[in-house]
């Protein structure tokens, strides 16, 4: 089985290197085909490993080589395939393979075609390192790898200032969070003497409670950055400046799911720190409704879907924070399928509308993009949590967890968020595909995507429909590595299902009725609540005024007053003194015998004086 582990891990890297060789060359279609094929090979190997575990096989643990061996510190390049990592490997490689195939059509006319596929495959490789490592150091290497690749991909169109700005924002905000994660990893090593998962988790119960709380908090700070939890959330919507397949990959299978994976993987630590776990659940519930509210009014189809991801990540953290780690992982898996489908559908719409993102300028696209519309409707129904699609099973399970653990406030927040989710999802559908064809007045001539792009989306649509049906098999599988969270809602389970379904259906019905004739009258957008939501609660503006602007001004001050007037002046003064002394003394080597004899005599006098002076000191002593 080890050979399949190595294939699953390194096939994306090989694809990235092959595409990178031709990175500066003209577009070569075979780079897209080769990288997609290698991703498919990685997916096949991941499935083989998953089937091995499903069949009762032992977890696979390999130590490829020694990485760091210094004193008592020993960190190998070790990889682990257990029920948690096998689930993540399947999700990552499946979604990534389909996104790669889709990208061949999406990036077909882009001059950076080869470079794009090199970055995209490197992104997948980094995520595989993250989820397959058997220690925190290896996880951190993959963690930083996805951060680097996200910077390259968000800023892929680097000639656009907004793209490079968004890439830098994501990179810098994640570096801030990663400092917290590094502190957590250092605390783990200082208190356990190891970074290996099995050793650390075995030692965790014997650690001081304060140390455990600090470790849990600092690790979660890292997760907050990667999974864009408040207050480190603003980069996620701005990251939409990258190509749409990148958005699909970031939101469905790679970067933002890494934070949830970290909490799930480190569950033995979080089980020992219930206060930190409850804090995680509260942050998740806040983010769920916070992000959903911003999606209600946004006029950018990709940003609406991005806020949806942010909201659903909140749901996952609620489940993980309440101890239902398998439920969080279940929703992560189901969400990956319909969220990737939504983003790829948005990519089809963008191509058809010459990169237009405002649904107010669309409408009536169902007539010309029927297949894309159907696929996005399936994804939106799954996102809204309507039976029998995947979201019904995974998202509603989180609501049951909240209610069953008697966290009624969290349940209420998530319940309201479910209604908002249904509303903004179908607001997007109605404004884009139905009502009047507003695009005609603006001169657009939309068309359906290439057939193979639609075929790449089809498996995601199928999984968005049926993934939830395998809940019981999923529970039996992952609870071999995760605790079986128990909660009793048997007496009210049907009531919970009914009220959750009713608010979701109500949100859908309200969106259809509200936007049946197209956008609302502009007067509705002049109220204070709309302005608050469209400006993201003025949080980006507050960051700009309180952090970014003062930092720029402080940097400008130090540049002008310290760097130029002190540092540069000092360096220039030393240089000028050296140059001046050299200029004045170069006459020593002018070749004139009389002049050179004079210098010899002067040197002899100086040496004689030095001898006399040192002798006088010795006599006096």
């Amino acid at each position: 089985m080890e050979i399949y582990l190595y294939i699953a891990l390194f096939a994306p890297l090989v694809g990235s290197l092959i595409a990178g060789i031709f990175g500066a060359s003209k577009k070569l279609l075979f780079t897209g085909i080769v990288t997609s094929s290698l991703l498919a090979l990685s997916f096949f190997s991941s499935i083989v490993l998953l089937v091995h575990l499903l069949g009762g096989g032992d977890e696979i643990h390999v130590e490829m080589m020694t990485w760091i061996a210094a004193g008592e510190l020993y960190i190998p390049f070790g990889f682990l395939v257990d029920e948690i990592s096998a689930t993540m490997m399947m999700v990552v490689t499946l979604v990534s393979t389909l996104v790669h195939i889709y990208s061949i059509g999406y990036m077909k006319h882009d001059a950076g075609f080869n470079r794009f596929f090199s970055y995209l495959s490197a992104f997948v490789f980094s995520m595989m390192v993250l989820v397959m490592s058997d220690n925190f150091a290896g996880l951190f290497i993959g963690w930083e790898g996805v951060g680097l690749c996200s910077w390259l991909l968000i800023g892929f169109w680097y000639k656009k200032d907004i793209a490079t700005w968004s890439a830098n924002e994501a990179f810098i905000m994640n570096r801030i969070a990663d400092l917290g994660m590094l502190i957590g990893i250092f605390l783990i090593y200082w208190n356990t003497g190891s970074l290996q998962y099995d050793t650390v988790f075995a030692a965790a119960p014997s650690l001081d409670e304060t140390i455990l709380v600090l470790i849990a908090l600092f690790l979660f700070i890292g997760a907050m950055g990667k999974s864009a939890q408040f207050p480190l959330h603003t980069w996620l919507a701005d990251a939409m400046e990258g190509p749409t397949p990148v958005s699909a990959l970031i939101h469905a299978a790679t970067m933002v799911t890494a934070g949830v994976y970290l909490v799930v993987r480190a569950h033995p630590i979080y089980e020992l720190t219930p206060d930190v776990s409850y804090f995680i659940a509260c942050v998740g519930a806040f983010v769920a409704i916070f992000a959903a509210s911003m999606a209600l009014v946004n006029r950018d189809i990709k940003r609406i879907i991005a806020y949806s991801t942010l909201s659903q990540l909140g749901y996952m953290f609620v489940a993980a924070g309440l101890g239902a780690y398998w439920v969080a992982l279940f929703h992560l898996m189901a969400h990956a399928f319909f969220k990737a489908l939504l983003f790829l559908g948005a990519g089809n719409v963008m191509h058809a509308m010459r990169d237009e993102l405002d649904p107010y300028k669309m409408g009536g696209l169902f007539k010309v993009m029927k297949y894309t519309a159907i696929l996005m409707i399936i994804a939106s129904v799954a996102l809204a949590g309507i039976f029998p699609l995947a979201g019904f099973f995974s998202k509603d399970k989180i609501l049951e967890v909240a209610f069953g653990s008697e966290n009624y406030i969290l349940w209420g927040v998530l319940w309201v968020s479910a209604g908002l989710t249904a509303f903004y999802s179908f607001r997007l559908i109605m404004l884009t595909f139905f009502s009047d064809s507003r695009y005609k007045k603006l001169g657009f001539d939309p068309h359906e995507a290439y057939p193979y792009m639609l075929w790449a989306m089809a498996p995601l649509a199928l999984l968005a429909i049926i993934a939830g049906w395998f809940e019981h098999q999923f529970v039996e599988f992952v609870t071999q590595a995760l605790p079986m969270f128990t909660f009793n809602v048997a007496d009210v389970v049907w009531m919970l299902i009914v009220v959750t379904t009713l608010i979701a259906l109500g949100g859908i019905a309200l969106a259809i009725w509200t936007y049946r004739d197209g956008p609302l009258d502009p007067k509705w957008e002049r109220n204070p609540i709309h302005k608050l939501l469209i400006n993201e609660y003025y949080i980006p503006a507050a960051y700009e005024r309180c952090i970014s602007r003062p930092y720029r001004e402080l940097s400008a001050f130090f540049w002008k007053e310290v760097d130029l007037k002190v540092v540069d002046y000092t360096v220039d003064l030393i240089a000028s003194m050296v140059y001046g002394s050299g200029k004045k003394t170069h006459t020593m080597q002018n070749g004139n015998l009389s002049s050179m004899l004079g210098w010899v005599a002067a040197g002899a006098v100086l040496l004689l004086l030095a001898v006399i002076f040192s002798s006088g000191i010795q006599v006096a002593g």
Side-chain angles (χ1 to χ4, degrees), residues 458-482:
L460 294 172
L462 177 63
L463 289 167
I465 295 170
I466 69 170
W469 302 354
F470 300 96
E471 176 187 338
H472 297 297
Q473 293 89 332
F474 181 86
V475 175
E476 291 177 4
F477 178 63
V478 299
T479 50
Q480 296 178 57
L482 293 171

Side-chain angles (χ1 to χ4, degrees), residues 27 59 74 109 118 132 185-186 193 222 267 275 288 377-378 384 413 418 428 456 482 511 536 542-543 573 591:
K27 180 180 73 67
E59 65 180 36
Y74 177 72
H109 303 291
S118 179
M132 295 176 68
I185 292 174
F186 289 152
H267 71 271
D275 291 339
I377 290 170
I378 290 172
V413 171
L428 174 62
L482 293 171
E536 303 175 48
Y543 285 174
L573 179 62

Side-chain angles (χ1 to χ4, degrees), residues 349-369:
V349 173
M350 284 180 64
H351 261 202
M353 296 291 292
R354 301 199 300 270
D355 291 336
E356 179 57 60
L357 290 164
D358 188 353
Y360 279 32
K361 298 178 182 179
M362 300 176 188
L365 289 179
F366 186 87
K367 300 173 185 176
V368 292
M369 302 183 69

Side-chain angles (χ1 to χ4, degrees), residues 319-590:
L322 295 178
Y325 302 103
W326 73 263
V327 179
L329 195 61
F330 185 44
H331 190 47
L332 185 155
M333 179 190 72
H335 172 264
F337 303 139
F338 52 76
K339 187 51 56 70
L341 184 58
L342 274 174
F343 268 114
L344 298 185
N348 290 352
V349 173
M350 284 180 64
H351 261 202
M353 296 291 292
R354 301 199 300 270
D355 291 336
E356 179 57 60
L357 290 164
D358 188 353
Y360 279 32
K361 298 178 182 179
M362 300 176 188
L365 289 179
F366 186 87
K367 300 173 185 176
V368 292
M369 302 183 69
K370 187 174 295 184
Y371 296 112
T372 294
I374 292 171
L375 291 169
M376 289 190 71
I377 290 170
I378 290 172
S380 298
V381 173
L383 177 60
I386 304 300
F387 181 85
L389 277 71
F392 169 82
F393 295 92
S394 63
K395 192 167 73 172
D396 281 25
K397 188 63 65 178
I398 297 174
L399 287 160
E400 292 177 20
V401 166
F403 195 91
S405 57
E406 299 182 356
N407 289 282
Y408 301 122
I409 294 177
L410 296 183
W411 176 85
V413 171
L414 296 181
W415 182 73
V416 173
S417 301
L420 298 180
T421 300
F423 179 84
Y424 68 66
S425 298
F426 276 83
R427 170 181 176 265
L428 174 62
I429 294 295
M430 293 301 296
L431 288 173
T432 304
F433 294 107
F434 299 100
S435 66
D436 60 313
S437 302
R438 297 177 297 280
Y439 67 86
K440 292 181 179 179
K441 301 174 185 177
L442 300 172
F444 291 107
D445 184 24
H447 54 83
E448 187 59 274
Y450 297 119
Y452 62 86
M453 294 171 69
L454 295 172
W455 280 112
M457 296 167 65
L460 294 172
L462 177 63
L463 289 167
I465 295 170
I466 69 170
W469 302 354
F470 300 96
E471 176 187 338
H472 297 297
Q473 293 89 332
F474 181 86
V475 175
E476 291 177 4
F477 178 63
V478 299
T479 50
Q480 296 178 57
L482 293 171
M484 182 64 189
F485 182 83
T486 56
F487 55 95
N488 184 18
V489 292
D491 297 337
V492 293
V493 65
W494 285 108
M495 182 197 74
L496 293 176
I497 291 173
V498 168
V499 296
T500 305
T501 302
L502 283 176
I503 197 170
L505 290 174
I508 293 172
L510 182 60
I512 293 173
W513 182 82
T514 304
Y515 294 99
R516 65 190 185 283
D517 297 323
L520 298 176
D521 191 301
K523 69 180 182 181
W524 291 101
E525 299 182 358
R526 299 186 191 119
N527 64 78
I529 295 177
H530 184 277
K531 290 181 180 179
L532 182 69
L533 297 179
I534 201 69
N535 287 289
E536 303 175 48
Y537 293 90
Y538 296 100
I539 292 173
Y543 285 174
E544 170 64 24
R545 178 172 296 182
C546 300
I547 300 175
S548 300
R549 189 184 302 169
Y551 182 80
R552 283 197 302 270
E553 292 173 354
L554 186 64
S555 300
F557 170 79
F558 276 103
W559 169 55
K560 293 178 181 178
E561 303 299 328
V562 179
D563 196 27
L564 293 180
K565 293 183 179 180
V566 178
V567 177
D568 284 3
Y569 176 78
T570 302
V571 172
D572 291 343
L573 179 62
I574 294 171
S576 63
M577 290 173 63
V578 172
Y579 178 76
S581 63
K583 189 174 182 180
K584 291 182 181 300
T585 57
H586 79 284
T587 54
M588 281 193 278
Q589 302 294 332
N590 62 3

